[in-house]
Amino acid sequence: MEIVRHAADGAFRWEGVDVREYKQEGTAPFKDVTRQVLFEAEGLPAQLRYFEVAAGGWTTLERHEHVHAVMVIRGKGQALVGDRAYDIAMHDLVSVPPMTWHQFHASPDEPLGFLCLVAAARDRPQLPHAAEVEGLTRPLKRS
Amino acid sequence: MEIVRHAADGAFRWEGVDVREYKQEGTAPFKDVTRQVLFEAEGLPAQLRYFEVAAGGWTTLERHEHVHAVMVIRGKGQALVGDRAYDIAMHDLVSVPPMTWHQFHASPDEPLGFLCLVAAARDRPQLPHAAEVEGLTRPLKRS
């Protein structure tokens, strides 16, 4: 029988939910990120995941056709979306439109945890060429 | 242009997100519930909504083919799912399977706020016959 309730442990881990690698090491640049799939179910055309970026860490700079719908539920940081960086904090919502470069950065002193809703059927991310990265990340404040 | 960031105000309201009636009054029984649609977008086959049930309030007892994927983000209460009532608190996850009677109750002394993920294309809820309600809600602790 399907488990109805997955209790939270107060530290952003859930009963019956595995903490996974964000991505396989070496497939894309990132730093100190974990991934938990909170909801995926038959009959649900979407997945809800929880990503946690350790203090000073960041997700992969990437883009894809599928959209991201993000809500911060822990800490603070910055979201780079297109040509702007947004300060983000508790419960802020971030929409990443199709084929828009994006990256999430935790603040230097605390982790950034966010929910990310995506379609269950979705395309694979594209990575920028090395030469593009500097230009794309210019809006981020460096600390 | 689409708004990328909807800032939270620290009180479970978001910039650019309307607080709506939960349902039209008189269409179904419920008490003290508001609804905010946090994400709905072209290319996203799902919606993420935030429901807030005031202290002592409850949502409609109903069932439908589509599944609910719920995360508590404020307060505590109980979730009635099928023939069981579950105590729920911060960040707990609740899955409501297809055609399963369910209802959310806030605790008597604080509101219950939860995210609810659903398919964008979904069937309408069914309500129980009046005579069925007492039996269905028996697992709930009455305070």
Side-chain angles (χ1 to χ4, degrees), chain A residues 2-8 12 14 38-39 43-46 48 67 69-71 73 81 86-87 90-95 97 115 117 119, chain B residues 2-8 12 14 38-39 43-46 48 67 69-71 73 81 86-88 90-95 97 115 117 119:
Chain A
E2 192 185 359
I3 298 170
V4 166
R5 178 189 52 188
H6 294 268
F12 298 90
W14 289 265
L38 303 184
F39 289 108
L44 190 66
L48 190 68
V67 303
V70 164
M71 176 190 270
I73 64 167
V81 182
Y86 299 85
D87 290 328
M90 186 60 88
H91 294 152
D92 285 350
L93 308 175
V94 178
S95 294
L115 303 174
L117 170 61
Chain B
E2 192 185 1
I3 299 169
V4 165
R5 179 188 52 186
H6 293 268
F12 298 89
W14 288 266
L38 303 183
F39 289 108
L44 191 64
L48 190 69
V67 303
V70 164
M71 175 189 272
I73 64 167
V81 182
Y86 300 85
D87 289 328
I88 52 173
M90 187 60 91
H91 294 154
D92 286 348
L93 309 175
V94 178
S95 295
L115 303 173
L117 169 62

Short mmCIF file of all heavy atoms in Angstrom, two decimals, chain A residues 2-8 12 14 38-39 43-46 48 67 69-71 73 81 86-87 90-95 97 115 117 119, chain B residues 2-8 12 14 38-39 43-46 48 67 69-71 73 81 86-88 90-95 97 115 117 119:
data_model
loop_
_atom_site.label_atom_id
_atom_site.label_comp_id
_atom_site.label_asym_id
_atom_site.label_seq_id
_atom_site.Cartn_x
_atom_site.Cartn_y
_atom_site.Cartn_z
N GLU A 2 0.42 2.23 -0.68
CA GLU A 2 1.15 3.51 -0.72
C GLU A 2 1.21 4.13 0.67
O GLU A 2 0.24 4.08 1.42
CB GLU A 2 0.40 4.46 -1.67
CG GLU A 2 1.19 5.70 -2.03
CD GLU A 2 0.38 6.68 -2.87
OE1 GLU A 2 -0.78 6.40 -3.18
OE2 GLU A 2 0.93 7.73 -3.19
N ILE A 3 2.34 4.71 1.00
CA ILE A 3 2.46 5.42 2.29
C ILE A 3 1.78 6.77 2.14
O ILE A 3 2.06 7.51 1.20
CB ILE A 3 3.94 5.59 2.68
CG1 ILE A 3 4.59 4.22 2.86
CG2 ILE A 3 4.07 6.42 3.95
CD1 ILE A 3 6.10 4.27 3.00
N VAL A 4 0.89 7.06 3.06
CA VAL A 4 0.12 8.31 2.97
C VAL A 4 0.92 9.48 3.53
O VAL A 4 0.98 10.54 2.92
CB VAL A 4 -1.24 8.15 3.68
CG1 VAL A 4 -1.90 9.50 3.91
CG2 VAL A 4 -2.16 7.24 2.87
N ARG A 5 1.51 9.29 4.69
CA ARG A 5 2.22 10.41 5.31
C ARG A 5 3.71 10.12 5.43
O ARG A 5 4.11 9.06 5.90
CB ARG A 5 1.67 10.68 6.72
CG ARG A 5 2.42 11.83 7.44
CD ARG A 5 2.02 11.94 8.89
NE ARG A 5 2.14 10.64 9.55
CZ ARG A 5 1.71 10.37 10.77
NH1 ARG A 5 1.13 11.31 11.48
NH2 ARG A 5 1.86 9.17 11.31
N HIS A 6 4.54 11.02 4.98
CA HIS A 6 5.98 10.96 5.19
C HIS A 6 6.32 12.07 6.18
O HIS A 6 6.32 13.25 5.82
CB HIS A 6 6.74 11.17 3.88
CG HIS A 6 6.53 10.07 2.90
ND1 HIS A 6 7.35 8.98 2.81
CD2 HIS A 6 5.58 9.89 1.97
CE1 HIS A 6 6.93 8.16 1.87
NE2 HIS A 6 5.85 8.69 1.33
N ALA A 7 6.59 11.68 7.41
CA ALA A 7 6.83 12.69 8.44
C ALA A 7 8.17 13.37 8.21
O ALA A 7 9.16 12.73 7.83
CB ALA A 7 6.79 12.05 9.82
N ALA A 8 8.21 14.66 8.43
CA ALA A 8 9.46 15.43 8.37
C ALA A 8 10.18 15.29 9.71
O ALA A 8 9.53 15.13 10.75
CB ALA A 8 9.14 16.90 8.10
N PHE A 12 14.82 18.82 7.45
CA PHE A 12 14.69 18.75 5.99
C PHE A 12 15.07 17.37 5.43
O PHE A 12 15.65 17.26 4.36
CB PHE A 12 15.46 19.89 5.32
CG PHE A 12 14.91 21.23 5.71
CD1 PHE A 12 15.41 21.90 6.82
CD2 PHE A 12 13.86 21.80 5.02
CE1 PHE A 12 14.87 23.11 7.23
CE2 PHE A 12 13.31 23.01 5.41
CZ PHE A 12 13.83 23.68 6.50
N TRP A 14 12.95 13.42 5.24
CA TRP A 14 11.62 12.87 5.39
C TRP A 14 11.69 11.36 5.49
O TRP A 14 12.48 10.72 4.76
CB TRP A 14 10.74 13.27 4.20
CG TRP A 14 10.38 14.71 4.19
CD1 TRP A 14 9.23 15.26 4.70
CD2 TRP A 14 11.15 15.82 3.69
NE1 TRP A 14 9.25 16.63 4.54
CE2 TRP A 14 10.41 16.99 3.92
CE3 TRP A 14 12.41 15.93 3.07
CZ2 TRP A 14 10.86 18.26 3.55
CZ3 TRP A 14 12.86 17.20 2.71
CH2 TRP A 14 12.09 18.35 2.94
N LEU A 38 10.29 14.29 -3.41
CA LEU A 38 9.24 14.25 -2.39
C LEU A 38 7.96 13.61 -2.92
O LEU A 38 7.27 12.89 -2.20
CB LEU A 38 8.95 15.66 -1.88
CG LEU A 38 10.15 16.41 -1.31
CD1 LEU A 38 9.71 17.75 -0.75
CD2 LEU A 38 10.85 15.61 -0.23
N PHE A 39 7.63 13.91 -4.17
CA PHE A 39 6.42 13.34 -4.77
C PHE A 39 6.68 12.97 -6.22
O PHE A 39 7.12 13.81 -7.01
CB PHE A 39 5.25 14.35 -4.75
CG PHE A 39 4.68 14.61 -3.39
CD1 PHE A 39 4.90 15.82 -2.75
CD2 PHE A 39 3.91 13.65 -2.75
CE1 PHE A 39 4.37 16.06 -1.50
CE2 PHE A 39 3.36 13.89 -1.50
CZ PHE A 39 3.59 15.10 -0.87
N GLY A 43 -0.39 8.98 -12.18
CA GLY A 43 -1.53 9.89 -12.15
C GLY A 43 -1.13 11.33 -11.85
O GLY A 43 -1.97 12.22 -11.90
N LEU A 44 0.14 11.53 -11.51
CA LEU A 44 0.62 12.90 -11.26
C LEU A 44 1.62 13.23 -12.36
O LEU A 44 2.69 12.62 -12.41
CB LEU A 44 1.27 12.96 -9.88
CG LEU A 44 1.61 14.35 -9.34
CD1 LEU A 44 0.34 15.16 -9.06
CD2 LEU A 44 2.42 14.25 -8.05
N PRO A 45 1.29 14.17 -13.25
CA PRO A 45 2.18 14.45 -14.37
C PRO A 45 3.36 15.34 -14.00
O PRO A 45 3.99 15.93 -14.88
CB PRO A 45 1.25 15.15 -15.37
CG PRO A 45 0.24 15.82 -14.52
CD PRO A 45 0.05 14.95 -13.29
N ALA A 46 3.65 15.43 -12.72
CA ALA A 46 4.71 16.32 -12.25
C ALA A 46 5.46 15.65 -11.11
O ALA A 46 4.99 14.67 -10.53
CB ALA A 46 4.10 17.64 -11.78
N LEU A 48 7.70 16.75 -7.46
CA LEU A 48 8.16 17.78 -6.55
C LEU A 48 9.43 17.28 -5.89
O LEU A 48 9.45 16.21 -5.28
CB LEU A 48 7.10 18.09 -5.50
CG LEU A 48 7.39 19.34 -4.65
CD1 LEU A 48 7.29 20.61 -5.47
CD2 LEU A 48 6.42 19.43 -3.46
N VAL A 67 9.90 24.03 -17.70
CA VAL A 67 9.95 25.13 -16.75
C VAL A 67 10.20 24.60 -15.34
O VAL A 67 9.92 23.45 -15.04
CB VAL A 67 8.65 25.98 -16.78
CG1 VAL A 67 8.41 26.51 -18.18
CG2 VAL A 67 7.44 25.18 -16.31
N ALA A 69 9.37 25.55 -11.29
CA ALA A 69 8.59 26.36 -10.34
C ALA A 69 9.18 26.08 -8.97
O ALA A 69 9.13 24.96 -8.47
CB ALA A 69 7.13 25.95 -10.40
N VAL A 70 9.77 27.11 -8.39
CA VAL A 70 10.62 26.96 -7.21
C VAL A 70 10.05 27.72 -6.01
O VAL A 70 9.57 28.85 -6.17
CB VAL A 70 12.05 27.46 -7.53
CG1 VAL A 70 12.88 27.70 -6.27
CG2 VAL A 70 12.75 26.48 -8.47
N MET A 71 10.11 27.13 -4.83
CA MET A 71 9.81 27.83 -3.58
C MET A 71 10.92 27.55 -2.57
O MET A 71 11.23 26.39 -2.28
CB MET A 71 8.50 27.37 -2.97
CG MET A 71 8.23 28.03 -1.61
SD MET A 71 6.84 27.33 -0.70
CE MET A 71 5.54 28.36 -1.32
N ILE A 73 12.35 27.02 0.95
CA ILE A 73 11.82 26.66 2.27
C ILE A 73 12.92 26.61 3.34
O ILE A 73 12.65 26.26 4.48
CB ILE A 73 11.01 25.34 2.25
CG1 ILE A 73 11.85 24.12 1.88
CG2 ILE A 73 9.78 25.47 1.37
CD1 ILE A 73 11.14 22.79 2.15
N VAL A 81 18.54 33.98 -13.12
CA VAL A 81 17.54 33.57 -14.11
C VAL A 81 17.68 34.51 -15.30
O VAL A 81 17.42 35.71 -15.16
CB VAL A 81 16.11 33.61 -13.54
CG1 VAL A 81 15.10 33.12 -14.59
CG2 VAL A 81 15.99 32.76 -12.28
N TYR A 86 18.52 37.34 -8.58
CA TYR A 86 17.49 37.72 -7.62
C TYR A 86 17.91 37.23 -6.24
O TYR A 86 18.27 36.07 -6.08
CB TYR A 86 16.16 37.06 -7.97
CG TYR A 86 15.62 37.44 -9.31
CD1 TYR A 86 16.03 36.76 -10.47
CD2 TYR A 86 14.70 38.48 -9.46
CE1 TYR A 86 15.53 37.11 -11.72
CE2 TYR A 86 14.20 38.84 -10.70
CZ TYR A 86 14.63 38.16 -11.83
OH TYR A 86 14.15 38.51 -13.06
N ASP A 87 17.84 38.10 -5.25
CA ASP A 87 18.00 37.63 -3.87
C ASP A 87 16.76 36.83 -3.52
O ASP A 87 15.63 37.26 -3.80
CB ASP A 87 18.14 38.83 -2.92
CG ASP A 87 19.46 39.54 -3.09
OD1 ASP A 87 20.46 38.88 -3.44
OD2 ASP A 87 19.49 40.77 -2.88
N MET A 90 13.16 32.91 2.46
CA MET A 90 12.07 32.03 2.86
C MET A 90 10.74 32.28 2.13
O MET A 90 10.20 33.38 2.15
CB MET A 90 11.84 32.17 4.38
CG MET A 90 10.83 31.19 4.93
SD MET A 90 11.33 29.46 4.66
CE MET A 90 12.31 29.21 6.13
N HIS A 91 10.28 31.25 1.48
CA HIS A 91 8.97 31.18 0.81
C HIS A 91 8.89 32.00 -0.48
O HIS A 91 7.81 32.02 -1.10
CB HIS A 91 7.82 31.54 1.77
CG HIS A 91 7.66 30.54 2.88
ND1 HIS A 91 7.13 30.85 4.10
CD2 HIS A 91 7.98 29.21 2.95
CE1 HIS A 91 7.13 29.76 4.88
NE2 HIS A 91 7.65 28.76 4.20
N ASP A 92 9.96 32.64 -0.88
CA ASP A 92 9.94 33.31 -2.18
C ASP A 92 9.72 32.27 -3.28
O ASP A 92 10.17 31.13 -3.19
CB ASP A 92 11.26 34.05 -2.45
CG ASP A 92 11.39 35.33 -1.66
OD1 ASP A 92 10.40 35.78 -1.03
OD2 ASP A 92 12.50 35.91 -1.67
N LEU A 93 9.02 32.71 -4.33
CA LEU A 93 8.73 31.86 -5.49
C LEU A 93 9.58 32.31 -6.67
O LEU A 93 9.72 33.51 -6.89
CB LEU A 93 7.25 31.98 -5.88
CG LEU A 93 6.23 31.78 -4.76
CD1 LEU A 93 4.81 32.05 -5.30
CD2 LEU A 93 6.31 30.37 -4.19
N VAL A 94 10.11 31.39 -7.42
CA VAL A 94 10.89 31.72 -8.62
C VAL A 94 10.40 30.85 -9.78
O VAL A 94 10.30 29.63 -9.65
CB VAL A 94 12.40 31.45 -8.41
CG1 VAL A 94 13.19 31.76 -9.68
CG2 VAL A 94 12.94 32.26 -7.24
N SER A 95 10.07 31.49 -10.89
CA SER A 95 9.70 30.78 -12.12
C SER A 95 10.85 30.85 -13.10
O SER A 95 11.33 31.95 -13.40
CB SER A 95 8.50 31.46 -12.80
OG SER A 95 7.35 31.37 -11.99
N PRO A 97 11.55 30.31 -16.89
CA PRO A 97 10.88 30.07 -18.17
C PRO A 97 11.68 29.10 -19.05
O PRO A 97 12.85 28.81 -18.77
CB PRO A 97 10.81 31.46 -18.82
CG PRO A 97 11.15 32.44 -17.74
CD PRO A 97 12.03 31.70 -16.78
N LEU A 115 12.05 23.82 -2.87
CA LEU A 115 11.21 22.90 -3.61
C LEU A 115 11.30 23.26 -5.09
O LEU A 115 11.38 24.44 -5.43
CB LEU A 115 9.75 23.02 -3.17
CG LEU A 115 9.50 22.81 -1.68
CD1 LEU A 115 8.03 23.12 -1.35
CD2 LEU A 115 9.86 21.39 -1.28
N LEU A 117 9.30 22.20 -8.65
CA LEU A 117 8.25 21.47 -9.35
C LEU A 117 8.57 21.42 -10.83
O LEU A 117 8.86 22.46 -11.43
CB LEU A 117 6.93 22.21 -9.11
CG LEU A 117 5.70 21.82 -9.91
CD1 LEU A 117 5.31 20.37 -9.65
CD2 LEU A 117 4.55 22.76 -9.55
N ALA A 119 7.59 19.10 -14.72
CA ALA A 119 6.81 18.07 -15.41
C ALA A 119 7.53 16.73 -15.27
O ALA A 119 8.76 16.67 -15.29
CB ALA A 119 6.65 18.44 -16.88
N GLU B 2 6.89 37.54 -18.23
CA GLU B 2 6.53 36.79 -17.02
C GLU B 2 7.34 37.29 -15.82
O GLU B 2 8.52 37.60 -15.96
CB GLU B 2 6.84 35.30 -17.25
CG GLU B 2 6.24 34.40 -16.18
CD GLU B 2 6.67 32.94 -16.35
OE1 GLU B 2 7.43 32.66 -17.30
OE2 GLU B 2 6.25 32.11 -15.55
N ILE B 3 6.69 37.36 -14.67
CA ILE B 3 7.41 37.73 -13.45
C ILE B 3 8.19 36.52 -12.96
O ILE B 3 7.65 35.43 -12.85
CB ILE B 3 6.42 38.19 -12.35
CG1 ILE B 3 5.65 39.42 -12.83
CG2 ILE B 3 7.16 38.50 -11.06
CD1 ILE B 3 4.48 39.79 -11.93
N VAL B 4 9.47 36.72 -12.72
CA VAL B 4 10.35 35.61 -12.33
C VAL B 4 10.24 35.33 -10.83
O VAL B 4 10.12 34.18 -10.41
CB VAL B 4 11.81 35.89 -12.74
CG1 VAL B 4 12.78 34.96 -12.04
CG2 VAL B 4 11.94 35.79 -14.25
N ARG B 5 10.29 36.36 -10.03
CA ARG B 5 10.27 36.16 -8.58
C ARG B 5 9.02 36.78 -7.95
O ARG B 5 8.71 37.95 -8.21
CB ARG B 5 11.50 36.79 -7.93
CG ARG B 5 11.50 36.63 -6.39
CD ARG B 5 12.62 37.43 -5.75
NE ARG B 5 12.57 38.81 -6.20
CZ ARG B 5 13.48 39.73 -5.91
NH1 ARG B 5 14.52 39.42 -5.17
NH2 ARG B 5 13.36 40.97 -6.36
N HIS B 6 8.32 36.00 -7.16
CA HIS B 6 7.22 36.52 -6.34
C HIS B 6 7.69 36.47 -4.89
O HIS B 6 7.75 35.39 -4.30
CB HIS B 6 5.96 35.68 -6.51
CG HIS B 6 5.37 35.75 -7.88
ND1 HIS B 6 4.40 36.66 -8.23
CD2 HIS B 6 5.64 35.04 -9.00
CE1 HIS B 6 4.09 36.50 -9.51
NE2 HIS B 6 4.83 35.52 -10.00
N ALA B 7 8.01 37.62 -4.35
CA ALA B 7 8.57 37.66 -2.99
C ALA B 7 7.48 37.33 -1.97
O ALA B 7 6.32 37.74 -2.10
CB ALA B 7 9.16 39.03 -2.70
N ALA B 8 7.85 36.56 -0.96
CA ALA B 8 6.97 36.26 0.16
C ALA B 8 7.02 37.42 1.14
O ALA B 8 8.04 38.09 1.26
CB ALA B 8 7.42 34.97 0.84
N PHE B 12 2.82 34.41 4.69
CA PHE B 12 2.16 33.47 3.78
C PHE B 12 1.25 34.16 2.76
O PHE B 12 0.19 33.68 2.39
CB PHE B 12 1.41 32.38 4.57
CG PHE B 12 2.37 31.57 5.40
CD1 PHE B 12 2.69 31.97 6.69
CD2 PHE B 12 2.99 30.46 4.87
CE1 PHE B 12 3.61 31.24 7.45
CE2 PHE B 12 3.91 29.74 5.62
CZ PHE B 12 4.21 30.12 6.91
N TRP B 14 2.03 36.37 -1.07
CA TRP B 14 3.08 36.56 -2.04
C TRP B 14 2.74 37.72 -2.97
O TRP B 14 1.57 37.87 -3.38
CB TRP B 14 3.27 35.29 -2.87
CG TRP B 14 3.90 34.18 -2.09
CD1 TRP B 14 5.23 33.88 -2.05
CD2 TRP B 14 3.25 33.23 -1.22
NE1 TRP B 14 5.45 32.80 -1.22
CE2 TRP B 14 4.26 32.38 -0.70
CE3 TRP B 14 1.92 33.00 -0.83
CZ2 TRP B 14 3.97 31.33 0.17
CZ3 TRP B 14 1.65 31.96 0.05
CH2 TRP B 14 2.66 31.14 0.54
N LEU B 38 -0.02 29.39 -6.52
CA LEU B 38 1.37 29.87 -6.54
C LEU B 38 2.00 29.68 -7.91
O LEU B 38 2.79 30.50 -8.36
CB LEU B 38 2.19 29.13 -5.48
CG LEU B 38 1.65 29.26 -4.05
CD1 LEU B 38 2.59 28.54 -3.08
CD2 LEU B 38 1.46 30.71 -3.64
N PHE B 39 1.71 28.56 -8.55
CA PHE B 39 2.26 28.30 -9.88
C PHE B 39 1.22 27.66 -10.77
O PHE B 39 0.63 26.63 -10.42
CB PHE B 39 3.46 27.33 -9.80
CG PHE B 39 4.69 27.92 -9.19
CD1 PHE B 39 5.11 27.54 -7.92
CD2 PHE B 39 5.45 28.86 -9.88
CE1 PHE B 39 6.25 28.08 -7.35
CE2 PHE B 39 6.59 29.41 -9.32
CZ PHE B 39 6.99 29.01 -8.05
N GLY B 43 3.11 24.91 -20.27
CA GLY B 43 4.27 24.03 -20.23
C GLY B 43 4.42 23.30 -18.90
O GLY B 43 5.29 22.44 -18.77
N LEU B 44 3.60 23.65 -17.93
CA LEU B 44 3.64 22.97 -16.64
C LEU B 44 2.31 22.22 -16.50
O LEU B 44 1.26 22.86 -16.37
CB LEU B 44 3.81 24.00 -15.51
CG LEU B 44 4.12 23.43 -14.12
CD1 LEU B 44 5.49 22.72 -14.10
CD2 LEU B 44 4.11 24.55 -13.08
N PRO B 45 2.35 20.88 -16.51
CA PRO B 45 1.09 20.13 -16.49
C PRO B 45 0.50 20.00 -15.09
O PRO B 45 -0.33 19.14 -14.84
CB PRO B 45 1.50 18.75 -17.04
CG PRO B 45 2.94 18.62 -16.64
CD PRO B 45 3.51 20.01 -16.64
N ALA B 46 0.93 20.85 -14.17
CA ALA B 46 0.50 20.78 -12.78
C ALA B 46 0.31 22.18 -12.23
O ALA B 46 0.78 23.16 -12.82
CB ALA B 46 1.55 20.03 -11.96
N LEU B 48 0.57 24.36 -8.40
CA LEU B 48 0.91 24.33 -6.98
C LEU B 48 0.08 25.42 -6.31
O LEU B 48 0.15 26.59 -6.68
CB LEU B 48 2.40 24.58 -6.74
CG LEU B 48 2.87 24.34 -5.32
CD1 LEU B 48 2.82 22.85 -4.96
CD2 LEU B 48 4.28 24.85 -5.11
N VAL B 67 -4.87 12.82 -7.89
CA VAL B 67 -4.18 12.69 -6.62
C VAL B 67 -3.78 14.07 -6.09
O VAL B 67 -3.65 15.03 -6.85
CB VAL B 67 -2.93 11.78 -6.74
CG1 VAL B 67 -3.32 10.41 -7.28
CG2 VAL B 67 -1.86 12.41 -7.63
N ALA B 69 -0.79 15.90 -3.71
CA ALA B 69 0.52 15.80 -3.07
C ALA B 69 0.67 17.05 -2.21
O ALA B 69 0.71 18.17 -2.72
CB ALA B 69 1.63 15.73 -4.12
N VAL B 70 0.72 16.85 -0.90
CA VAL B 70 0.59 17.94 0.07
C VAL B 70 1.84 18.06 0.93
O VAL B 70 2.41 17.04 1.34
CB VAL B 70 -0.66 17.68 0.95
CG1 VAL B 70 -0.66 18.54 2.21
CG2 VAL B 70 -1.93 17.90 0.15
N MET B 71 2.26 19.28 1.19
CA MET B 71 3.31 19.55 2.19
C MET B 71 2.85 20.65 3.12
O MET B 71 2.47 21.74 2.67
CB MET B 71 4.62 20.00 1.53
CG MET B 71 5.69 20.39 2.57
SD MET B 71 7.15 21.16 1.89
CE MET B 71 8.13 19.73 1.55
N ILE B 73 3.36 23.71 5.42
CA ILE B 73 4.38 24.75 5.59
C ILE B 73 4.02 25.74 6.70
O ILE B 73 4.76 26.68 6.96
CB ILE B 73 4.76 25.49 4.28
CG1 ILE B 73 3.59 26.27 3.70
CG2 ILE B 73 5.35 24.52 3.26
CD1 ILE B 73 4.03 27.25 2.59
N VAL B 81 -7.45 10.75 5.65
CA VAL B 81 -7.23 10.16 4.32
C VAL B 81 -7.74 8.71 4.39
O VAL B 81 -7.19 7.89 5.13
CB VAL B 81 -5.74 10.17 3.92
CG1 VAL B 81 -5.55 9.59 2.51
CG2 VAL B 81 -5.16 11.58 3.97
N TYR B 86 -4.34 11.40 10.33
CA TYR B 86 -2.91 11.54 10.57
C TYR B 86 -2.66 12.91 11.20
O TYR B 86 -3.14 13.91 10.67
CB TYR B 86 -2.13 11.48 9.25
CG TYR B 86 -2.29 10.18 8.50
CD1 TYR B 86 -3.37 9.99 7.65
CD2 TYR B 86 -1.38 9.15 8.65
CE1 TYR B 86 -3.54 8.79 6.96
CE2 TYR B 86 -1.53 7.96 7.98
CZ TYR B 86 -2.61 7.78 7.13
OH TYR B 86 -2.77 6.60 6.46
N ASP B 87 -1.89 12.93 12.27
CA ASP B 87 -1.43 14.22 12.79
C ASP B 87 -0.40 14.76 11.81
O ASP B 87 0.49 14.02 11.37
CB ASP B 87 -0.78 14.04 14.17
CG ASP B 87 -1.82 13.70 15.24
OD1 ASP B 87 -2.97 14.17 15.12
OD2 ASP B 87 -1.47 12.96 16.18
N ILE B 88 -0.51 16.01 11.48
CA ILE B 88 0.43 16.60 10.52
C ILE B 88 0.99 17.90 11.06
O ILE B 88 0.29 18.67 11.72
CB ILE B 88 -0.20 16.80 9.12
CG1 ILE B 88 -1.52 17.58 9.20
CG2 ILE B 88 -0.41 15.45 8.44
CD1 ILE B 88 -2.10 17.95 7.84
N MET B 90 4.78 20.72 10.57
CA MET B 90 5.69 21.37 9.62
C MET B 90 6.46 20.41 8.71
O MET B 90 7.16 19.52 9.21
CB MET B 90 6.69 22.24 10.40
CG MET B 90 7.58 23.08 9.51
SD MET B 90 6.62 24.21 8.49
CE MET B 90 6.58 25.65 9.54
N HIS B 91 6.30 20.59 7.43
CA HIS B 91 7.02 19.90 6.36
C HIS B 91 6.62 18.44 6.16
O HIS B 91 7.19 17.76 5.30
CB HIS B 91 8.55 20.03 6.53
CG HIS B 91 9.02 21.45 6.38
ND1 HIS B 91 10.16 21.94 6.98
CD2 HIS B 91 8.50 22.49 5.71
CE1 HIS B 91 10.30 23.22 6.68
NE2 HIS B 91 9.30 23.57 5.91
N ASP B 92 5.66 17.96 6.94
CA ASP B 92 5.15 16.61 6.66
C ASP B 92 4.54 16.57 5.26
O ASP B 92 3.96 17.56 4.78
CB ASP B 92 4.08 16.20 7.68
CG ASP B 92 4.66 15.85 9.04
OD1 ASP B 92 5.89 15.70 9.16
OD2 ASP B 92 3.86 15.71 9.98
N LEU B 93 4.67 15.41 4.63
CA LEU B 93 4.12 15.18 3.29
C LEU B 93 2.91 14.26 3.40
O LEU B 93 2.95 13.28 4.16
CB LEU B 93 5.17 14.50 2.41
CG LEU B 93 6.55 15.15 2.34
CD1 LEU B 93 7.49 14.27 1.52
CD2 LEU B 93 6.46 16.54 1.76
N VAL B 94 1.90 14.53 2.64
CA VAL B 94 0.70 13.67 2.62
C VAL B 94 0.33 13.41 1.16
O VAL B 94 0.21 14.34 0.36
CB VAL B 94 -0.51 14.34 3.33
CG1 VAL B 94 -1.75 13.45 3.25
CG2 VAL B 94 -0.17 14.68 4.78
N SER B 95 0.16 12.12 0.83
CA SER B 95 -0.32 11.73 -0.50
C SER B 95 -1.77 11.28 -0.38
O SER B 95 -2.07 10.41 0.44
CB SER B 95 0.47 10.52 -1.03
OG SER B 95 1.81 10.85 -1.23
N PRO B 97 -4.41 9.27 -2.44
CA PRO B 97 -4.57 8.44 -3.63
C PRO B 97 -5.92 8.72 -4.34
O PRO B 97 -6.78 9.38 -3.77
CB PRO B 97 -4.55 7.00 -3.08
CG PRO B 97 -4.04 7.10 -1.68
CD PRO B 97 -4.43 8.47 -1.20
N LEU B 115 0.93 23.36 1.06
CA LEU B 115 1.04 23.34 -0.39
C LEU B 115 0.28 22.12 -0.90
O LEU B 115 0.32 21.06 -0.27
CB LEU B 115 2.49 23.23 -0.82
CG LEU B 115 3.41 24.32 -0.29
CD1 LEU B 115 4.87 23.99 -0.65
CD2 LEU B 115 3.02 25.68 -0.87
N LEU B 117 -0.13 20.05 -4.56
CA LEU B 117 0.23 19.87 -5.97
C LEU B 117 -0.82 18.98 -6.63
O LEU B 117 -1.13 17.91 -6.11
CB LEU B 117 1.60 19.20 -6.02
CG LEU B 117 2.11 18.67 -7.34
CD1 LEU B 117 2.25 19.77 -8.37
CD2 LEU B 117 3.46 17.97 -7.13
N ALA B 119 -2.53 17.82 -10.78
CA ALA B 119 -2.47 17.91 -12.23
C ALA B 119 -3.29 19.11 -12.68
O ALA B 119 -4.33 19.43 -12.09
CB ALA B 119 -3.02 16.64 -12.85
#
